[in-house]
Amino acid sequence: QVQLVESGGGLVQPGGSLRLSCAPSGFTLEHHAIGWFRQAPGKEREGVACMSVNEDITDYVDSVKGRFTVYRDNAKNTVYLQMNSLKPEDTAVYYCAVDVDSNYCSVVGVNRYDYWGQGTQVTVSS
C-alpha cells in the first residue's frame, strides 16, 4: 500500500524557517516526480515546488523562488522542503504528492499527481 507521510510543520515567526519532510512507504521516491503543494483556508490547492527523477530538475512557484528549496535524500528515501524567510502568506496546509507516470515534475496541475500525504500545517505569525 502506497502512503506518504509529511512532517515538520508548526508555528514560526515571520522571517523564520521550517523544514518539511515527506517519507513514503511502499515505493522509492527517487524513481518518481515529487511535488509539494499547499492549501490555505478558502483557497485552491497550489503547487509550491517539485523535483523530477533527475534531482537537478526542480521547479518553484514564483512566490517562493529564492526562499524554498526542495531536495532529496535517497539513503533515507525522503524528500524535504526547506522553507526560509517565511511570510504570513505562506500559512497553509502543506502536502507532498507523487506522480508515478512521469519522470518530470510540474508545479502546475494538481490532478497529475497520484498519491498524496495527509498534510502538515504551517503557520507563520508573530
Side-chain angles (χ1 to χ4, degrees):
Q1 183 177 359
V2 173
Q3 288 187 325
L4 293 167
V5 178
E6 302 100 335
S7 60
L11 173 64
V12 64
Q13 293 186 339
S17 297
L18 282 174
R19 188 182 74 166
L20 306 183
S21 301
C22 175
S25 61
F27 64 96
T28 302
L29 278 176
E30 65 180 290
H31 298 158
H32 303 288
I34 304 296
W36 281 99
F37 293 79
R38 66 186 178 188
Q39 188 165 20
K43 294 188 176 181
E44 293 186 354
R45 190 168 297 189
E46 68 166 346
V48 176
C50 71
M51 171 176 283
S52 301
V53 172
N54 179 342
E55 59 187 352
D56 292 328
I57 301 174
T58 57
D59 196 16
Y60 299 88
V61 68
D62 285 347
S63 61
V64 308
K65 285 180 179 177
R67 301 189 298 122
F68 290 12
T69 303
V70 58
Y71 64 99
R72 190 174 67 212
D73 185 333
N74 293 336
K76 294 183 178 180
N77 196 27
T78 300
V79 170
Y80 301 95
L81 183 67
Q82 177 67 44
M83 306 186 296
N84 298 328
S85 303
L86 282 162
K87 305 175 181 180
E89 52 263 43
D90 295 318
T91 295
V93 178
Y94 283 70
Y95 302 87
C96 65
V98 173
D99 179 355
V100 299
D101 295 322
S102 176
N103 290 336
Y104 297 96
C105 75
S106 174
V107 293
V108 178
V110 172
N111 293 333
R112 65 183 289 160
Y113 289 85
D114 305 287
Y115 298 102
W116 293 79
Q118 83 289 349
T120 185
Q121 176 70 47
V122 171
T123 302
V124 185
S125 174
S126 55

